[in-house]
Amino acid sequence: MEAAPIYHVKPDLAASAVINAARHRLMSNHAITDADGFWQEEAGRIDWIRPPQLADNSSFDGDVRISWFSDGILNVSVNCLDRHLDLHGDRDALIWQGEAEDDSRILTYRQLHAEVCRLANALRGLGIRKGDRVAIYLPMVAEGAIAMLACARIGAVHVVMFAGFSASGIADRLGDCGAKLVITADEGRRAGKRVPLKATIDEALALASGGSAGAGKPIAPHTVEHVLVLRLTGGNVAMQRKRDLDYAEAVRGQPARCEPEPMGAEDPLLLLYTSGSTGKPKGLLHTTAGYLLWARFTHEAVFDYRPGEVFWCTADIGWVTGHSYVVYGPLANAGTTLMFEGTPSWPEPGRWWRLIDKYKVASFYTAPTAIRSMMRDDPGFLAATSRKSLRVLGSVGEPINPEAWLWYYHEVGGERCAVVDTWWQTETGGIMIAPLPGAIAQKPGSATLPLPGVVPVLVDEKGQVLEGEAEGHLCISRSWPGQARTIWGDHARYVQTYFTTYPGSYFTGDGARRDGDGYYWITGRVDDVINVSGHRIGSAEVEAALDHHDQVAEAAVVGVPHDIKGQALFAFVVLKGKEAAPGYEAELARHVGQMLGRYAAPDTVLLVPDLPKTRSGKIMRRILRKIATRDTAELGDTTTLADPAVVQDLIRRMEERS
Ligand code: WTA
């Protein structure tokens, strides 16, 4: 293989970096030789009510216990707000830019603190106490961040649900987490259109009132007592007496101070649902101190962040990236975070580039899908902006192809900026493998080296650890503070999912290659998770949604490469009846969109008479993937195939399509 080009650390970035190469070496050594000492030092940068004596008390064996700083007491909202008031009370904490250009709002630390306290008081007034779950179903508005911090202030566990989830997806999650209260808005705005939110919550609550949906399986009855409704568009929404309350009314008159709840380091902070290889989304639990520390530490290290700079992460707060790098990381670092309600190319392409100039953004963090899509825009939109405020460009969510990396580096960053390709997951809480701008040379397409204290290992199919240059399954052999502690209500599933494949190690579900310089190249998921536009989708979830359609006998979903989205969903569907009406494929895709949310609707649905299975009845996805990508010259081992004729028939059908 040809050696990958290297982009060396820029001397000016190295000279002023928070972490330069020498310091990076020192930190990495310290974190290995004296992990407790290293993390105690990092923990010293948190504001504690009672500082911890203990650091790591985790074990990947047996029942698996993840525990950090467990005797410490603190409050996350105090660390993100109160702590900065004396010195930086008048600094911009949150800049919100609405979809309409003239619709924006800037909150200083003092103002954000007051807003958070008002809502926190309102929530307490509604009976929300430490440990209660509060669901947040909001678009990208300032109140999303305010709601998260208000929950953290009173010790409520926030469960942010992506505003693209459907009613049944929400119903499932509300039942699973036992939320007591939901914070939503009348409607969202997207590319000039309105998106119903309150109506979707109403539908979800109706479904979860003893109904049955969500791929045919019963939904646990919900426990929601109140719904707070933010008026964004003023659209007409039904309000159920006593249950539904107006957000503005609830916070009006509330004091701008609120006593923070003292939280144990291991008390729950948040749940985030994510997809795995079964149909049921799992609620990953992050706890108070470790998550905060990881968000703070990684945000500063990976973006070489200096307080006062404007930091812009384009991720939705409904995903982990929005949690750690729109809200918690930047605010814990006394930073200024930009939150944008709109999309990159509405009302016309180049919107993001113009916003970078408008707010003098120093670090910009987005997904390869967006980069690839903007590469195709008329270059005039990019050329019309200067982007000279930028220092660091980040990428996350999927492997970035060298072509997109190079465009990002040359065209967007004008060859002045570091490109940081950051690998991590909902489960890791924050970034795990990434080049630090002032310390690590970059190679396009590689996430490069682990952060101090992160110990990746590559293992083969048999669980043998591979040394040196190698390709295998990516595991992490030691706990780190930001690690998810469990799956809500199902610790056995947590152990089973992450710690049984390679006992004693956390298994990420990703494959990776390590080159001669020790650099990691993530090759993508090795399980049944498909990464569409940086959104994690379990093939089993989509299959369950298809199976739920009354005309579907059976379905199998695979990921196929896609120029812009990285991967796209390809569904093979067997119908119950023999003949389908023309256009039935689109109806099935729409059905999945309704069940799960539009982001999970398959790009391609192929109606087929049968699916290739092993003699024991297991669907052979490996073969379906080859058929879907027309890569059928070499099918690999087909000896376990129950009926080879099925495969030949599918290949013929694919040929007929082109
Ligand atoms: C993928 C998003 C390659 C990976 C933060 C992982 C990446 C999954 C990268 C987690 C990257 C994330 N290069 N692949 N830089 N970053 N991934 O939980 O497959 O939504 O397992 O977290 O995204 O997705 P999640």
Side-chain angles (χ1 to χ4, degrees):
M1 188 181 299
E2 212 177 298
I6 293 197
Y7 288 76
H8 290 286
V9 172
K10 311 258 174 235
D12 58 323
L13 281 176
S16 62
V18 179
I19 300 176
N20 60 19
R23 180 147 166 71
H24 176 249
R25 264 193 305 276
L26 214 69
M27 288 173 85
S28 300
N29 277 335
H30 188 189
I32 296 300
T33 53
D34 171 22
D36 275 4
F38 178 80
W39 290 118
Q40 278 289 12
E41 221 169 85
E42 281 303 320
R45 303 180 57 181
I46 286 182
D47 222 25
W48 296 91
I49 298 169
R50 186 177 82 199
Q53 302 301 311
L54 293 166
D56 186 9
N57 189 23
S58 310
S59 160
F60 284 179
D61 297 321
D63 283 347
V64 180
R65 175 189 65 243
I66 316 295
S67 169
W68 285 85
F69 315 114
S70 56
D71 57 339
I73 297 178
L74 73 164
N75 181 283
V76 166
S77 85
V78 168
N79 274 276
C80 292
L81 300 167
D82 308 47
R83 186 157 75 115
H84 312 316
L85 291 182
D86 276 352
L87 287 177
H88 311 298
D90 296 321
R91 174 180 289 167
D92 296 345
L94 193 157
I95 302 175
W96 176 79
Q97 172 64 54
E99 184 161 86
E101 192 58 49
D102 56 2
D103 198 6
S104 67
R105 180 180 178 196
I106 296 182
L107 292 162
T108 63
Y109 271 95
R110 215 177 302 288
Q111 290 165 332
L112 183 60
H113 175 263
E115 292 283 334
V116 167
C117 286
R118 284 195 192 97
L119 179 60
N121 284 322
L123 293 176
R124 272 203 182 130
L126 290 168
I128 302 298
R129 297 285 176 267
K130 177 176 172 179
D132 288 342
R133 273 80 61 209
V134 170
I136 300 174
Y137 185 64
L138 285 171
M140 286 292 279
V141 290
E143 285 80 1
I146 292 169
M148 289 161 73
L149 291 162
C151 289
R153 190 149 196 102
I154 62 172
V157 183
H158 61 69
V159 190
V160 185
M161 302 189 189
F162 176 51
F165 286 153
S166 65
S168 71
I170 294 163
D172 252 346
R173 291 164 173 85
L174 287 178
D176 187 75
C177 73
K180 229 169 136 177
L181 185 138
V182 179
I183 305 178
T184 189
D186 47 8
E187 297 170 310
R189 296 171 280 239
R190 196 171 167 81
K193 296 199 193 74
R194 291 180 175 198
V195 184
L197 295 174
K198 171 62 165 60
T200 308
I201 291 294
D202 288 341
E203 201 187 321
L205 291 176
L207 278 174
S209 299
S212 159
K217 56 188 185 294
I219 289 180
H222 75 78
T223 45
V224 172
E225 293 168 10
H226 290 292
V227 180
L228 271 189
V229 184
L230 180 70
R231 305 286 181 171
L232 273 182
T233 63
N236 199 6
V237 293
M239 295 290 275
Q240 198 181 99
R241 237 170 57 81
K242 292 208 174 121
R243 188 194 72 182
D244 299 348
L245 306 163
D246 190 278
Y247 181 105
E249 269 171 39
V251 298
R252 188 173 305 136
Q254 293 289 353
R257 288 182 172 281
C258 170
E259 201 48 47
E261 189 76 35
M263 301 293 286
E266 285 297 337
D267 281 337
L269 173 67
L270 65 94
L271 293 181
L272 258 171
Y273 282 87
T274 191
S275 302
S277 36
T278 74
K280 188 171 146 53
K282 39 193 183 194
L284 288 161
L285 172 71
H286 283 287
T287 55
T288 300
Y291 174 83
L292 172 70
L293 182 149
W294 202 247
R296 194 214 70 71
F297 170 69
T298 55
H299 173 255
E300 181 182 55
V302 176
F303 297 97
D304 188 32
Y305 184 75
R306 296 99 193 260
E309 285 182 343
V310 178
F311 183 83
W312 184 14
C313 166
T314 66
D316 193 283
I317 52 160
W319 308 111
V320 71
T321 312
H323 280 59
S324 301
Y325 302 105
V326 175
V327 181
Y328 289 114
L331 296 179
N333 282 323
T336 302
T337 187
L338 172 62
M339 201 171 168
F340 177 43
E341 183 187 38
T343 49
S345 42
W346 196 89
E348 56 177 14
R351 184 86 194 270
W352 279 3
W353 314 134
R354 291 191 294 280
L355 288 178
I356 287 173
D357 282 357
K358 178 173 175 181
Y359 292 112
K360 304 199 169 40
V361 172
S363 308
F364 177 70
Y365 192 27
T366 195
T369 294
I371 299 168
R372 286 190 293 263
S373 129
M374 289 183 297
M375 275 170 80
R376 307 206 164 184
D377 291 339
D378 176 344
F381 290 107
L382 183 69
T385 59
S386 93
R387 289 154 278 108
K388 66 175 191 294
S389 54
L390 288 173
R391 287 197 311 118
V392 181
L393 295 170
S395 170
V396 61
E398 21 160 356
I400 181 166
N401 47 315
E403 193 196 355
W405 194 104
L406 292 168
W407 183 79
Y408 206 27
Y409 175 79
H410 289 288
E411 306 303 325
V412 179
E415 301 172 12
R416 289 174 294 104
C417 303
V419 172
V420 294
D421 174 6
T422 65
W423 174 85
W424 60 292
Q425 315 176 290
T426 307
E427 291 86 343
T428 70
I431 297 165
M432 300 287 279
I433 303 182
L436 309 189
I440 299 172
Q442 298 128 55
K443 297 183 191 180
S446 170
T448 76
L449 299 173
L451 262 68
V454 172
V455 190
V457 288
L458 296 179
V459 297
D460 67 13
E461 306 259 344
K462 293 191 208 85
Q464 288 295 329
V465 172
L466 306 167
E467 305 290 344
E469 276 183 68
E471 181 162 348
H473 292 181
L474 179 64
C475 295
I476 313 285
S477 67
R478 255 199 208 189
S479 185
W480 64 97
Q483 185 169 23
R485 302 313 197 236
T486 190
I487 292 174
W488 185 254
D490 199 350
H491 192 67
R493 185 174 174 206
Y494 177 74
V495 176
Q496 161 67 29
T497 308
Y498 302 110
F499 297 93
T500 51
T501 320
Y502 303 104
S505 268
Y506 162 76
F507 173 48
T508 65
D510 279 314
R513 180 166 69 80
R514 187 171 46 221
D515 71 15
D517 294 327
Y519 276 38
Y520 287 86
W521 301 71
I522 310 298
T523 50
R525 299 290 305 196
V526 294
D527 55 10
D528 291 330
V529 171
I530 303 169
N531 198 326
V532 181
S533 302
H535 292 169
R536 223 169 121 166
I537 301 172
S539 48
E541 261 174 283
V542 182
E543 287 164 7
L546 283 165
D547 288 343
H548 180 252
H549 191 283
D550 53 13
Q551 290 307 312
V552 171
E554 201 173 21
V557 174
V558 296
V560 296
H562 185 281
D563 279 354
I564 291 181
K565 301 181 185 185
Q567 281 187 294
L569 299 177
F570 192 117
F572 293 86
V573 178
V574 182
L575 292 181
K576 283 180 185 155
K578 282 280 163 276
E579 288 304 317
Y584 208 67
E585 291 89 346
E587 145 71 19
L588 292 175
R590 221 176 6 253
H591 168 78
V592 176
Q594 265 164 16
M595 293 280 306
L596 300 176
R598 271 224 316 260
Y599 72 103
D603 289 75
T604 312
V605 175
L606 185 67
L607 300 178
V608 297
D610 215 342
L611 296 172
K613 291 190 184 146
T614 60
R615 281 187 215 106
S616 57
K618 257 188 90 171
I619 295 172
M620 294 184 79
R621 280 164 219 287
R622 182 176 57 76
I623 291 190
L624 286 174
R625 224 168 274 130
K626 292 207 160 212
I627 293 172
T629 51
R630 302 172 198 272
D631 171 26
T632 45
E634 192 46 69
L635 280 179
D637 183 10
T638 52
T639 50
T640 55
L641 202 57
D643 179 5
V646 173
V647 173
Q648 292 315 317
D649 177 65
L650 293 185
I651 293 174
R652 194 176 44 74
R653 278 167 197 268
M654 282 300 288
E655 276 165 7
E656 279 167 10
R657 276 170 65 87
S658 44

